[in-house]
Amino acid sequence: MSAAEPSADELDQALKALVEHEQRPLASLSVLVQREGRNVYEAQFGRRYIAPPGGVDLPVTADTLFRMASVTKLVVAVAAWRLVDAGRLDLDADIGKILGYELRHPRYSRTPLTARLLLTHRSGLTDGGDDYLDPHIGLRELLLPGGRSFGKGGSWGAHVPGRFFQYANLNFAVLASVMERAAGQRFDELMQHWVLMPLGMQGGFDAARLPPSQLNQVATLYRKARADGGRWDPAGPWHAQTDDFKAVPPQPIGGAALASYMLGSNGALFGPQGRLRTRVSDLGRLMAMLVDEGRYQGEPFLRPASARALLSEEWRFDAAAANGDTADGAFQAWGVGAQHFIDRSRPQWGDRLLPQGGVEAWGHLGFAYGLQSGVIFDPRRRCGVIYAIGGCGANPAVNPGRYSSFALWEEQLLGLLWARALG
C-alpha cells in the first residue's frame, strides 16, 4: 500500500463520515474497488429502508440491490455487443430493416439510423417528451409522422444524425426495441439470457419477478425534503422516491398490456434507460470482464475486438465546433455504449475523477429518484470503482463540485475510492 492509499479502516471511517454528514447526509452507500480484476475493497453504509416511526430500519448489506438508473445503459450496451458477436445485430445496419418499418429523422430522411448512433447518442433523438414510457403507445406512433403521439414534446432534435451528441433516454428505448427484434426475445428476458445469467448477476428489470430473497434486499431510494415532501431540506425527513415495496408491492411491468405486447413495438416498457436493479458486486463482475477485454473468470464473454470497440471513442466535445450538449460539462467524450472520462476540469464543470487529475477512464453514471451511481474503470491501469448512493440529503444542483460536474459528495467519494484503486 502506497503512502497516498488509505487503509481499509481509514476508508471505512471516511465513508461513514460522508454518509452521516450533518448538512449533506446520504441515505445509503454501497461501494466496490477493483485492481487487476480482484475486489480490493467493498463496504456498505446507511439504511436500505428507513421505517416510519415505530418501525424497524434495515441496513444496506453486500446483497442490497439498487435501482441503478442510467448505469443500466452500460449493461444494455454489453448485451448489444453480445448480439453483435452472435451475428444477430449489425451496429451499422439501417434499424428500419430490423424494426420492419422505415425510421428516419423527419428533417433528414436520407440519413439511416443505426444501433451505433443510438449507442453513441448521436441519432438526433431527444427526451423532449415522455410518451415513450406509456405502455399503450408504440414507438411508431411517437416517432413517425402521422402517429397519434408524433410531435408531442419534440422527440426529434434539430441536428443531422451522426453530427451532434445529445444524451437521451429515448435512444435506449429504440435500441431495446431493435434488440428484441434481433434476438427474438422480450427485452427483460433477453437481458437475463445474454448478460445477467451468464455473469451470475442478481436482479433484473421487473421487480415483481424477483425472488423474495432479492426483493427484500432492494433499496428504497430517498431524498430529504420538507415535511410535505416538496422542496429539498437537509433538516427534513427522508421521503421515499421509488422502490418502497414495503408500502406498495411491485406491480408487473406493463400490466394487462403485456399480454398483447409485440416484440420491437416499444422496449422502453422494460426500462432499458435505467430500471435495472442489481448489486454493486454484480456490476463488479461486468466491470472485471470489460477490464479483461471481454473475458470473465478466464472464459470468453465478449470477443476482445468487441470489448475494445465498446470502449473506442466516437465523439469528443469540441467547443469551437459546438458538436454536442455536455449536460453542463458532465459529458466530454463517448464510446460505443460507454462514457469516456477524459479529465477535463474547471470549477463546477467537467469529468475529472481526482482533485489533482491524472486519471482517464470509461464507464457510466446514473442519477434518478435521489440515487447517484457510477461504474468507472481504467482499462490501462486495470482498476476501477463502483458506487451506489441510495438517496441524497441535499440538492445536488446547489452543491456542485469544486473541479467537476459531480455533486460535492460524489467528488469526495470518487477521490477516496480512486486513491484505493490506484494503490
Side-chain angles (χ1 to χ4, degrees), residues 122 163-166 315-326:
R122 297 178 300 134
R163 298 187 184 177
F164 191 86
F165 174 91
Q166 185 163 12
W315 169 82
R316 179 174 290 223
F317 177 59
D318 183 339
N323 67 339
D325 178 358
T326 69

Side-chain angles (χ1 to χ4, degrees), residues 157-345:
H159 301 279
V160 179
R163 298 187 184 177
F164 191 86
F165 174 91
Q166 185 163 12
Y167 184 93
N169 289 317
L170 185 51
N171 282 307
F172 275 68
V174 177
L175 178 64
S177 304
V178 171
M179 291 168 66
E180 285 186 335
R181 297 278 291 186
Q185 293 172 286
R186 211 174 65 195
F187 177 78
D188 58 329
E189 295 173 345
L190 79 83
M191 289 301 301
Q192 289 286 346
H193 177 82
W194 290 92
V195 177
L196 302 183
M197 290 177 63
L199 288 179
M201 295 175 64
Q202 287 191 13
F205 288 77
D206 188 348
R209 299 179 71 182
L210 294 177
S213 59
Q214 293 183 30
L215 183 62
N216 184 56
Q217 279 285 346
V218 173
T220 303
L221 303 183
Y222 296 92
R223 69 183 180 93
K224 279 208 163 197
R226 294 183 177 179
D228 61 3
R231 295 178 60 185
W232 290 87
D233 183 358
W238 289 106
H239 288 269
Q241 304 298 292
T242 192
D243 286 9
D244 186 1
F245 295 138
K246 288 183 172 47
V248 181
Q251 300 302 305
I253 284 178
L258 192 62
S260 58
Y261 179 77
M262 295 180 61
L263 296 183
S265 59
N266 189 357
L269 182 64
F270 307 98
Q273 65 276 8
R275 202 182 294 155
L276 173 65
R277 295 170 179 89
T278 194
R279 300 176 300 180
V280 163
S281 60
D282 293 317
L283 291 172
R285 296 167 181 253
L286 187 102
M287 183 169 76
M289 179 273 297
L290 290 171
V291 166
D292 201 21
E293 288 196 330
R295 291 179 294 273
Y296 179 64
Q297 295 182 343
E299 297 295 325
F301 184 79
L302 282 179
R303 292 178 181 173
S306 295
R308 291 192 295 269
L310 193 158
L311 306 180
S312 61
E313 188 176 295
E314 295 248 339
W315 169 82
R316 179 174 290 223
F317 177 59
D318 183 339
N323 67 339
D325 178 358
T326 69
D328 297 324
F331 304 142
Q332 296 294 324
W334 216 267
V336 192
Q339 180 174 353
H340 193 192
F341 299 85
I342 59 174
D343 200 28
R344 287 180 173 173
S345 172

